[in-house]
Amino acid sequence: MQCSFISKFRSILFYISVFRWSLGNHENFALQNADSTNFYITEKNRNDIKNGSILRLTTSPSQTAAQLHERIQSSSMDAKLEALKDLANSSRDVTFAQEFINLDGISLLTQMVESGTERYQKLQKIMKPCFGDLLSFTLTAFVELMDHGIVSWDTFSVAFIKKIAGYVNKSAMDTAVLQRSLAILESMVLNSQDLYQKVAQEITIGQLIPHLQGTDQDIQTYTIAVINALFLKAPEDKRQEMAHILAQKQLRSIILSNVIRSPKPINDEMAHQLYVLQVLTFNLLEDRMMTKMDPQDQAQRDIIFELRRIAFDVECEPNNSGSIEKRKSMYTRDYKKLGFINHVNPAMDFTQIPPGMLALDNMLYFARHHQDAYIRIVLENSSREDKHECPFGRSSIELTKMLCETLKVGELPSENCHDFHPMFFTHDRSFEEFFCICIQLLNKTWKEMRATSEDFNKVMQVVRDQIMRALTQKPNSLDQLKSRLQNLSYTEILKIRQSERMNQEDFQSRPILELREKIQPEIMELIKQQRLNRLCDGTCFRKISSRRRQDKFWYCRLSPNHKVLHYGDLEESPLGEVSHDLLQEKLPVADIKAVVTGKDCPHMKEKGALKQNKEVLELAFSVLYESDEYLNFIAPDKHEYCVWTDGLNALLGKEMTSDFTKSDMDTLLSMEMKLRLLDLENIQIPEAPPPIPKEPSNYDFVYDCN
């Protein structure tokens, strides 16, 4: 039986230590990467060693951990500072981290934070930079150690939480200390419901607001991340209360002025946190969206009476005014003008969920805050013929449902999405204002289409198209949204659709279909070459860890002769292509057995958290080679996922089946068809070939060249 790599290494080390250098016990030494990572070489990661990598002989992880454990307890400030700096760097290595944690190192660090640093408080004024560095390295080491997921977050004391919260609550604190403290609080809240309760008692929104008013985008990002974490973990009954506090503290306007409208460009992590905050804010509407109206609830019925009163400028008649039948008839007439489906009891219109009571809330907001527009829409439609009136009530209910679907109200935020809309941060009641703009658009489109009640669904489809096209332009304000929608009239939508239809036109005549079938293999070969060329250019992939903001990258590209995959780790995301010389690892294409995707990937089976994340699952794929070896990928986006899975399947001689390939095939095939048929424009192509004429009576007209 062959010896393991570590066993062989120890045999060599034993010889060196005993006979050459007299190093002592060989168990106290290990190999370590000589690059900036300084990771220890173990049986698990030995396959990751790059050809030509420089390794150094150093003390074993257990020895190093024991030494640092002792050094960080030194009475000398300088020695302690140097030890904590070394600890912060070493803690990124999981092998070292395990050894240090086995020595109860986490407890030692928390004790230092709770009480050990107090002895230096007196020195803080005269040695402030030194004190900040001391605390910064301590917290950095703690964050790195916890990031490996070896120790549960539930083990920390209230004193430790108070201390970390105290650093966040202080008005003037070292930037590095503040950043790590915010990161620790976010992780505590997200990883433990018990710690959420304790953190929520120590941190208030008012104490976090000042950190958003600074200019450091990293601090702003971590601050919004903590707010999002508190929001996400808050019990259902506390979320509305928290939203009220956020409104009181003017969080929205502070984010708008200091983050969104800041001269600095918004990075991906900040965009993600703003997106999460947007989603969590809209999710507050879920309760009303899923609440049916109770036809017997007088308070809810009064809202409908209020809509009638504002529209027709009438006061509620006393019970003794006129006969019951007359009043019923009057109410029924008015409810019909308001566009309800059930004219007798409009409360029944709001029993459908979604949108439930949220639709009624939107209608009331529109009637009260945009009264002139509301009255104009109702009276305008009530004066039209019955079949041409745009039913305000029915339209509002369907529009609210559509907006909830568009903004995904009630769904949890995606892990990789950065799709926030600046305009929703410009108003405290942004959803209601969004509704008010869209209901006026719907009424305008209805008139432009000269629609009747039978066309209701068609009008809603056009309005959905208008809204989606306007949102893709990411308007910065609600006024900008109005302007964009104004330009997207029904006539303009027809032009756009006609143009798109022409671009995707599918001729069905037999000669055209035969031409398409003839061209398709050429187009597929063109797509295949494009995919392989993209693989030759290569892609930078991000290594996924439990902490989002831990940036680790690796690069992979195909050799120009399509025979080898070159890959390797990177210190940072590259600005362009990475040369083959810098990618030391190689995988021959001939050794690849299969390409698997999604939940079938080994790295999706290993990590439960990732396994549950739908977005990550959709971007995961693995290359299987030899017996049980595999190369795992998580694509940066859907486009790169399609490019790589298509390219790898092409290398293996398999069919390219991604959505991207289908889209490219449709686009290129349509373009090629139009180019080939350019000379036949405005000429009717027959369904069948013309008949072959009869043979001539003689062939005297044939000229014999010989």
Side-chain angles (χ1 to χ4, degrees), residues 251-512:
L251 176 73
R252 177 197 58 75
S253 59
I254 290 169
I255 289 176
L256 181 66
S257 57
N258 292 280
V259 178
I260 296 175
R261 291 180 178 170
S262 165
K264 293 181 181 178
I266 293 176
N267 59 38
D268 285 348
E269 185 57 36
M270 173 61 85
H272 173 73
Q273 294 301 339
L274 290 172
Y275 153 77
V276 172
L277 182 59
Q278 174 186 292
V279 171
L280 295 176
T281 304
F282 284 143
N283 281 356
L284 294 170
L285 304 169
E286 184 182 12
D287 183 51
R288 294 294 283 173
M289 181 182 77
M290 301 306 292
T291 300
K292 293 182 180 180
M293 184 171 183
D294 181 2
Q296 307 305 318
D297 188 319
Q298 188 58 43
Q300 295 179 1
R301 290 165 63 89
D302 286 344
I303 298 176
I304 297 177
F305 293 148
E306 178 72 358
L307 290 173
R308 174 177 175 266
R309 184 193 68 75
I310 296 172
F312 305 114
D313 196 21
V314 296
E315 297 296 334
C316 293
E317 297 82 358
N319 290 333
N320 57 0
S321 63
S323 67
I324 295 175
E325 290 300 322
K326 183 180 178 182
R327 276 190 283 118
K328 277 186 177 180
S329 174
M330 189 166 52
Y331 278 125
T332 301
R333 181 198 66 202
D334 289 348
Y335 290 149
K336 183 180 179 183
K337 289 180 180 179
L338 281 169
F340 290 113
I341 298 173
N342 192 322
H343 306 152
V344 178
N345 185 8
M348 298 303 296
D349 288 12
F350 301 97
T351 55
Q352 174 194 351
I353 55 170
M357 286 297 292
L358 184 59
L360 188 57
D361 294 342
N362 283 340
M363 292 167 71
L364 183 62
Y365 181 90
F366 181 51
R368 285 179 172 171
H369 293 84
H370 300 270
Q371 197 170 108
D372 291 344
Y374 167 69
I375 292 171
R376 186 184 71 250
I377 287 175
V378 173
L379 296 184
E380 194 177 82
N381 284 291
S382 62
S383 62
R384 291 180 188 160
E385 296 178 28
D386 281 354
K387 66 176 183 177
H388 283 289
E389 65 181 16
C390 176
F392 173 73
R394 182 185 176 191
S395 299
S396 297
I397 292 168
E398 288 302 316
L399 179 63
T400 301
K401 183 179 179 182
M402 180 201 297
L403 296 183
C404 288
E405 290 171 356
T406 301
L407 299 175
K408 299 182 179 180
V409 175
E411 295 185 21
L412 287 175
S414 162
E415 180 69 20
N416 298 310
C417 188
H418 310 107
D419 189 26
F420 81 97
H421 293 273
M423 69 177 186
F424 291 131
F425 290 86
T426 62
H427 202 285
D428 288 328
R429 304 288 294 275
S430 58
F431 184 82
E432 290 86 345
E433 287 293 324
F434 187 35
F435 168 84
C436 294
I437 292 169
C438 293
I439 193 66
Q440 294 177 74
L441 169 72
L442 193 154
N443 188 64
K444 171 175 168 286
T445 303
W446 185 282
K447 288 189 290 183
E448 291 172 347
M449 292 178 68
R450 298 178 182 177
T452 63
S453 54
E454 288 81 12
D455 300 320
F456 184 84
N457 290 332
K458 291 180 183 176
V459 175
M460 293 305 297
Q461 288 173 6
V462 173
V463 171
R464 180 189 288 272
D465 198 4
Q466 290 170 313
I467 293 170
M468 295 303 294
R469 290 180 189 276
L471 285 179
T472 55
Q473 298 174 28
K474 292 287 180 74
N476 289 319
S477 66
L478 292 166
D479 287 335
Q480 246 186 47
L481 175 70
K482 283 183 193 175
S483 176
R484 302 268 166 85
L485 289 172
Q486 194 69 29
N487 295 331
L488 285 169
S489 63
Y490 175 57
T491 306
E492 185 63 25
I493 290 292
L494 283 181
K495 288 180 182 176
I496 293 171
R497 286 182 172 180
Q498 186 174 359
S499 174
E500 290 175 349
R501 203 162 35 241
M502 287 177 66
N503 290 334
Q504 299 171 0
E505 198 167 13
D506 188 13
F507 300 107
Q508 296 299 319
S509 63
R510 183 179 164 190
I512 301 299

Side-chain angles (χ1 to χ4, degrees), residues 617-683:
L617 272 175
E618 290 175 349
L619 299 175
F621 61 98
S622 296
V623 172
L624 306 184
Y625 60 97
E626 294 182 1
S627 54
D628 58 349
E629 298 291 335
Y630 43 82
L631 188 61
N632 296 322
F633 298 77
I634 294 180
D637 51 48
K638 191 68 177 176
H639 178 271
E640 288 295 324
Y641 170 84
C642 292
V643 165
W644 274 84
T645 51
D646 282 343
L648 291 169
N649 280 324
L651 285 173
L652 298 178
K654 295 182 179 179
E655 187 180 355
M656 299 183 294
T657 57
S658 75
D659 296 337
F660 193 38
T661 293
K662 293 173 186 173
S663 173
D664 281 355
M665 173 61 79
D666 291 341
T667 303
L668 294 172
L669 192 56
S670 173
M671 190 182 300
E672 182 67 19
M673 290 289 292
K674 286 177 181 178
L675 286 172
R676 296 201 181 195
L677 298 174
L678 205 56
D679 293 336
L680 298 178
E681 192 172 359
N682 299 323
I683 295 176

